[in-house]
């Protein structure tokens, strides 16, 4: 192909596939918002697969009928859906998404007011059953950040977080 | 005829112009995700790689297989399948966009766009890697 042919083909592809979608598909919600969230869902799918097939847990979504990801992290709110990890019918741990948990240094320090630097936030977090609010670092069973691109900000919780990089 | 350096510079301009025209939000993400290269041929290929990566991340085409996988291993307590996957918006986003959540099933399917872009990308790689194009 010549440069002109490639240019023309690029214009065709963009106008055919991107020409109308952004304005019509979801009102005002910017298309940048879901960026990365589908990948987080993909990683979640791989995690539940491994939890069931390799670790032998029975998995149940409770507190809702849909899995909810969030645009920003926060504490555990038990009114929200989570996946229970059950063994012999008993819930032994819970999988939450986009949760902040208390850091090792905060938990080891003398009691003080919690500040922003006392949290780590991870996309997928498995914690002790029944955990509420900001779980302590020692309540965390597994934490993952699902990022498809290089992380340019500081990487927190590295000692227990597994980076799940793109496989596409 | 193989693509020259100048051809690649023109194609980079074209690609950035198309992103600016059709999806300015994606342009920022693409530029952020593309590694800077001195060689315009490599930079063009990197840019196209970033475009495909970013659009595959938000293509509804991935939604069905992901939900199928989840439903293979996770059930509701009454035995029913999980109904879907959504993104809960923050309080300020709810106010701004007048929606509580974004259902991932409603994302536009970019599979065809990605397939066609990958064909072009392969063509560009072929044209820039041929001995005459160096």
């Amino acid at each position: 192909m010549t440069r002109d042919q490639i240019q023309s083909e690029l214009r065709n592809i963009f106008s055919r596939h991107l020409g109308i979608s952004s304005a019509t598909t979801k009102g005002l919600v910017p298309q940048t918002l879901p960026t990365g969230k589908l990948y987080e869902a993909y990683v979640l799918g791989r995690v539940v697969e491994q939890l069931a097939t390799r670790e032998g847990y029975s998995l149940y979504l409770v507190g809702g009928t849909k899995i909810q990801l969030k645009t920003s992290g926060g504490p555990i709110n038990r009114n929200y859906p989570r996946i229970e990890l059950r063994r012999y019918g008993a819930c032994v741990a819970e999988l939450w998404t986009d949760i902040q948990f208390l850091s090792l240094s905060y938990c080891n320090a003398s009691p003080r007011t919690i500040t922003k630097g006392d949290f780590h936030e991870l996309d997928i977090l498995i914690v002790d059953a029944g955990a509420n609010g900001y779980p302590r670092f020692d309540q965390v069973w597994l934490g993952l950040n699902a990022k498809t691109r290089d992380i340019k900000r500081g990487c927190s919780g590295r000692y227990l977080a597994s980076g799940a990089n793109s496989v596409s | 005829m193989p693509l020259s350096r100048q051809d690649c510079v023109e194609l980079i301009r074209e690609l950035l112009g198309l992103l600016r025209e059709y999806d300015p939000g994606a342009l920022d993400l693409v530029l952020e995700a593309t590694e800077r290269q001195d060689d315009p041929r490599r930079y063009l290929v990197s840019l196209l790689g970033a475009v495909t990566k970013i659009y595959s991340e938000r293509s509804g085409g991935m939604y069905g297989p992901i939900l199928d996988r989840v439903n293979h291993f996770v059930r509701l307590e009454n035995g029913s399948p999980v109904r879907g996957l959504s993104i809960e918006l923050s309080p300020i986003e709810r106010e701004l966009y007048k929606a509580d959540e974004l259902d991932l099933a409603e994302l536009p399917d970019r599979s065809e766009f990605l397939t066609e872009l990958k064909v072009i990308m392969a063509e560009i790689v072929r044209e820039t890697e041929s001995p005459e194009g160096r």
Side-chain angles (χ1 to χ4, degrees):
Chain A
M1 283 173 105
T2 64
R3 183 190 74 190
D4 290 344
Q5 287 171 320
I6 291 173
Q7 271 182 323
S8 159
E9 190 57 27
L10 277 173
R11 280 184 206 131
N12 281 338
I13 293 172
F14 272 75
S15 69
R16 263 188 290 125
H17 298 293
L18 303 186
I20 55 162
S21 58
S22 57
T24 57
T25 49
K26 193 58 190 173
L28 292 169
V29 179
Q31 291 295 296
T32 47
L33 208 60
T35 298
K37 285 293 165 186
L38 260 180
Y39 184 67
E40 190 178 320
Y42 168 79
V43 173
L44 179 68
R46 296 301 299 262
V47 170
V48 295
E49 178 182 14
Q50 297 298 311
L51 289 171
T53 58
R54 290 184 59 163
E55 304 296 332
Y57 291 108
S58 302
L59 304 172
Y60 290 88
L61 181 72
V62 299
T65 58
K66 277 182 178 181
I67 290 175
Q68 278 185 323
L69 309 174
K70 301 182 194 79
T71 54
S72 55
I76 288 175
N77 179 343
R78 300 198 65 79
N79 292 323
Y80 279 71
R82 68 273 183 187
I83 296 173
E84 287 190 353
L85 281 63
R86 296 184 188 174
R87 221 188 266 286
Y88 307 116
C91 174
V92 293
E94 294 166 344
L95 185 156
W96 295 85
T97 57
D98 306 294
I99 293 296
Q100 293 172 328
F101 64 96
L102 294 172
S103 67
L104 172 70
S105 46
Y106 174 80
C107 293
N108 284 347
S110 307
R112 57 182 163 82
T113 310
I114 298 172
T115 62
K116 219 174 176 182
D118 294 325
F119 302 116
H120 297 309
E121 182 184 328
L122 289 172
D123 296 331
I124 296 169
L125 202 67
I126 299 176
V127 294
D128 288 345
N132 202 0
Y134 297 103
R136 288 169 50 92
F137 76 95
D138 53 5
Q139 291 180 291
V140 176
W141 291 34
L142 175 74
L144 291 115
N145 252 339
K147 299 282 179 273
T148 55
R149 290 185 291 279
D150 295 339
I151 299 171
K152 289 185 178 167
R153 59 188 175 186
C155 183
S156 58
R158 196 161 35 186
Y159 60 95
L160 44 70
S162 307
N165 294 318
S166 175
V167 292
S168 60
Chain B
M1 188 200 285
L3 294 170
S4 66
R5 283 176 64 95
Q6 190 53 39
D7 289 335
C8 290
V9 170
E10 292 294 325
L11 288 171
I12 290 168
R13 279 203 197 112
E14 181 72 32
L15 182 61
L16 296 180
L18 286 167
L19 283 167
R20 193 172 293 117
E21 181 181 348
Y22 287 101
D23 198 348
L27 173 61
D28 294 339
L29 291 172
V30 167
L31 290 173
E32 193 182 308
T34 306
E35 197 182 331
R36 293 281 166 196
Q37 308 270 0
D38 289 335
D39 182 349
R41 298 167 181 129
R42 285 188 181 182
Y43 189 50
L44 175 60
V45 173
S46 293
L47 269 176
L48 284 164
V51 172
T52 53
K53 201 167 189 179
I54 279 161
Y55 278 97
S56 61
E57 281 173 21
R58 46 165 127 155
S59 168
M62 277 175 70
Y63 176 84
I66 290 172
L67 185 60
D68 284 350
R69 185 193 295 265
V70 167
N71 272 321
H72 204 73
F73 302 104
V74 182
R75 278 278 178 261
L76 302 182
E77 291 215 84
N78 63 9
S80 307
V82 174
R83 298 285 160 77
L85 296 151
S86 62
I87 305 172
E88 191 209 34
L89 302 181
S90 67
I92 183 69
E93 288 163 344
R94 284 181 209 177
E95 264 187 74
L96 282 172
Y97 310 128
K98 300 199 182 303
D100 290 336
E101 62 174 22
L102 178 63
D103 194 332
L104 290 178
E106 293 176 22
L107 291 179
D109 185 354
R110 302 292 190 202
S111 305
E112 275 187 56
F113 172 72
L114 289 165
T115 303
E116 291 176 29
L117 207 58
K118 281 174 187 170
V119 171
I120 288 283
M121 200 170 151
E123 185 69 26
I124 288 171
V125 169
R126 200 172 62 80
E127 292 291 349
T128 52
E129 283 184 348
S130 70
E132 294 167 69
R134 287 180 188 156

